Every structure is written in C-alpha cells, then in structure tokens.
Amino acid sequence: QVQLVESGGGLVQPGGSLRLSCAASRRTISSYAMGWFRQAPEKEREFVAAITWSGGNTDESDSAKGRFTISRDNAKNMVWLQMNSLKPEDTAVYYCAAKEYYSDYEELSHPDYWAYWGQGTQVTVSS
C-alpha cells in the first residue's frame, strides 16, 4: 500500500507561485500513475493534473493548463505540482493521489478511480 504525504501549501498573493510536494512511502511509486486533485469548501473534489509512471505524458484540467506543471522523480519517490500565476479561485486543499494504471481523461479526472490519497495541504490565494 502506498502512503502519500503532501507539503508546500500556504498563503500566497494572487499572481504568485507555489510548489507542492508529494512524498511516497511504504512502496515505490515507479509503476503508478500519479495525480493532483483539489477541493474547495462546499465543492466536490476536482482533478488538477496527472502524470504517467514514466513521466512521459501528462494531463491537466482546463483551469491548470498553462499555469500548473506536474512532475515526478521515481528514484526519490516524489511528485510535485508547480503552480504559477495563482488566482483566488485556486484556493483549496490539494491532494496527491496514486493509481495503478494511466487511463483516458474521463477516468483520470474522476476521484473514484484513484486508489491512494494523501491527507492534503491547504493553498490559500489572497491579498
């Protein structure tokens, strides 16, 4: 079973940047697809980005395209989400997730298809 721990959240001004980290333990994530989701108060959990086991392919939500970048280092058992040009509507708890295989966007974007989750890290974008 994969254990995931997120870090790097915090308070940032609009237009600023943050880099979220996801550290995996208990087993290697090298064969897993990895992803980021977020959940704002009173809203459903929302897909942000995903990356294949090799890092060779990524998918991002429309709101993340051009601003957020997902990356990974299997040797370090780490995944990151670089977030630039942050907006107040990006405020949410951000979750790291893992699943055993990559799939089409429809399945990637649905939380039910992801097997393992971290506890989340809060990102607040406000002046």
Side-chain angles (χ1 to χ4, degrees):
Q1 187 172 1
V2 178
Q3 185 174 21
L4 304 171
V5 178
E6 303 93 336
S7 61
L11 174 64
V12 62
Q13 292 187 342
S17 298
L18 276 178
R19 189 191 195 204
L20 304 184
S21 299
C22 174
S25 61
R26 293 191 177 173
R27 64 183 301 174
T28 178
I29 60 168
S30 59
S31 62
Y32 286 83
M34 300 298 296
W36 288 94
F37 284 74
R38 67 186 184 186
Q39 188 165 17
E42 301 182 0
K43 290 190 176 181
E44 293 186 350
R45 194 164 294 192
E46 174 190 26
F47 172 76
V48 176
I51 188 167
T52 56
W53 68 271
S54 67
N57 189 45
T58 63
D59 280 279
E60 296 82 21
S61 65
D62 287 343
S63 61
K65 281 179 183 176
R67 300 189 301 128
F68 295 1
T69 302
I70 186 171
S71 61
R72 68 188 295 164
D73 185 332
N74 289 337
K76 296 180 179 179
N77 239 22
M78 294 287 296
V79 181
W80 298 274
L81 183 68
Q82 177 67 44
M83 304 188 295
N84 300 326
S85 303
L86 283 162
K87 307 173 182 179
E89 50 264 42
D90 294 319
T91 296
V93 177
Y94 282 71
Y95 297 91
C96 179
K99 67 194 305 285
E100 291 186 350
Y101 57 92
Y102 209 72
S103 48
D104 60 25
Y105 187 88
E106 183 174 354
E107 188 170 301
L108 284 174
S109 61
H110 203 295
D112 287 354
Y113 288 99
W114 292 80
Y116 305 104
W117 294 87
Q119 83 291 346
T121 185
Q122 175 71 46
V123 172
T124 302
V125 184
S126 175
S127 55

